[in-house]
Amino acid sequence: MTTRAVAVRPAPSAPTTARRRLRPGRLGVHAFLMTVSLAFLAPLVLAVYASLRPYDETSEYGYFSLPRHLSLDYYRQAFTDSGMTKYFVNTMIIAVPGVLVTLFLASFVAFALARLKMRGGLVLLMLFTAGNLLPQQVIVTPLYVVFNRIPLPYWMSDSMTMFDSYWAVVLVQIGFQLGFCVFVLANFMRTLPQEILEAAVVDGAGVWTQFWRITLPLCRPALAALGTLQFTWMYNDFLWALVFISDGDKLPITSALNNLRGQFFTDYNLLAAGSVIVALPTLVVFMLLQRHFIAGLTLGSNK
């Protein structure tokens, strides 16, 4: 009985496999992505770096010089001098109801367009989408005139009109952001399995049950992603508050940075510290909803 030797080829080592995978095209893509990431991070890093240094030091040695002294004094000064606590509260009064009402109304409309068989549903969705293409600056003057003529009771607005009240800013934010949210949620709901709702109908579920207890929980990733984006956009908005609010004590946080500017001199290191403080809430919201945000953006990529 003879045995025949079988040559066994040794398995390639890990470095060899990794070296084969690093093709020039992949290296180019990674280099491009790293360059773009650094380009976006550079202003933020420079602002944080400048906020930690005294203005006298940067004016003498330049903003790109090595630091001689680092401290958090500018953050304390920016928070106290600008009165940011009051402006943070004003921003939350505008942004939180705006986000919640926008998502609530958009989910209703998107469910009707995506799940209920409606005549003209596609045309209605196109109208909602087309509303986002309208430049906001075009209707500033008409809205200004209209809000000055809409009366409100004193307990809703101390100006007795829609103008110079939070209601005007919240209403405009909802109106302009509703179309985008309807477009995203309607397309998201179309990807949900139709068999789930058909089984619910067989079990006797009505339209409200199909929406509230079945469809809406499945839309949690999309709602989280939209909530993050909407909060960021409403939080950073400055135009509508500047146009529709005349009382300085009602302005949002984006206007607090103006209080850090002097009449004849502006400490840009102090302004950088204030900008970092203003940006922190949006970073906190993104970190809290990061998992749902990424899930909403990447949903459907593996289908």
Side-chain angles (χ1 to χ4, degrees):
M1 183 176 181
T2 61
T3 59
R4 186 168 52 183
V6 178
V8 178
R9 181 178 298 178
S13 59
T16 304
T17 305
R19 194 179 301 113
R20 291 178 179 175
R21 292 178 179 176
L22 294 178
R23 295 188 293 269
R26 186 181 295 270
L27 289 175
V29 171
H30 283 281
F32 173 75
L33 293 177
M34 291 180 62
T35 303
V36 173
S37 300
L38 292 176
F40 276 93
L41 289 175
L44 177 62
V45 174
L46 182 60
V48 174
Y49 181 53
S51 65
L52 298 174
R53 304 177 62 188
Y55 180 80
D56 296 337
E57 179 180 312
T58 55
S59 62
E60 180 178 357
Y61 301 103
Y63 283 95
F64 297 98
S65 60
L66 294 177
R68 272 74 173 176
H69 178 70
L70 298 176
S71 67
L72 298 175
D73 294 339
Y74 273 137
Y75 288 93
R76 175 187 54 79
Q77 183 180 351
F79 192 83
T80 55
D81 291 357
S82 62
M84 284 191 178
T85 303
K86 173 179 62 179
Y87 295 104
F88 270 124
V89 174
N90 295 342
T91 301
M92 293 300 107
I93 294 175
I94 296 173
V96 174
V99 172
L100 295 179
V101 175
T102 300
L103 295 181
F104 184 70
L105 296 178
S107 61
F108 274 111
V109 179
F111 178 78
L113 295 178
R115 290 300 181 177
L116 303 181
K117 298 185 182 300
M118 297 176 52
R119 288 186 177 181
L122 181 59
V123 176
L124 186 60
L125 180 61
M126 293 175 62
L127 290 177
F128 273 101
T129 307
N132 294 324
L133 305 178
L134 179 67
Q136 300 180 359
Q137 293 80 3
V138 173
I139 62 173
V140 167
T141 302
L143 287 177
Y144 179 86
V145 175
V146 169
F147 287 160
N148 272 285
R149 297 181 179 180
I150 297 179
L152 289 179
Y154 183 79
W155 63 271
M156 294 182 64
S157 173
D158 53 7
S159 65
M160 304 295 290
T161 61
M162 183 77 77
F163 178 75
D164 196 22
S165 68
Y166 297 121
W167 299 96
V169 182
V170 173
L171 186 63
V172 171
Q173 295 286 4
I174 294 173
F176 271 98
Q177 304 300 334
L178 189 62
F180 174 75
C181 293
V182 169
F183 175 77
V184 174
L185 287 176
N187 287 279
F188 185 93
M189 291 179 182
R190 286 196 178 97
T191 64
L192 300 178
Q194 185 67 26
E195 292 78 7
I196 298 178
L197 291 182
E198 293 176 354
V201 172
V202 172
D203 292 337
V207 176
W208 174 254
T209 303
Q210 297 175 36
F211 168 74
W212 186 256
R213 303 186 65 178
I214 299 175
T215 304
L216 207 58
L218 295 176
C219 295
R220 184 181 301 173
L223 291 173
L226 285 175
T228 306
L229 294 174
Q230 294 298 319
F231 179 81
T232 303
W233 293 339
M234 295 183 187
Y235 179 90
N236 291 327
D237 178 71
F238 181 69
L239 172 65
W240 296 119
L242 185 65
V243 173
F244 298 136
I245 295 180
S246 60
D247 188 354
D249 292 334
K250 298 179 182 178
L251 291 174
I253 189 63
T254 49
S255 63
L257 297 178
N258 287 330
N259 297 336
L260 300 177
R261 294 178 176 270
Q263 183 177 1
F264 304 104
F265 168 74
T266 299
D267 189 340
Y268 291 100
N269 293 35
L270 178 62
L271 194 62
S275 302
V276 173
I277 295 175
V278 170
L280 285 178
T282 55
L283 295 177
V284 172
V285 171
F286 177 78
M287 295 302 296
L288 293 176
L289 300 177
Q290 180 181 10
R291 180 169 61 89
H292 298 290
F293 179 76
I294 297 176
L297 293 180
T298 59
L299 187 74
S301 60
N302 57 349
K303 291 185 178 181

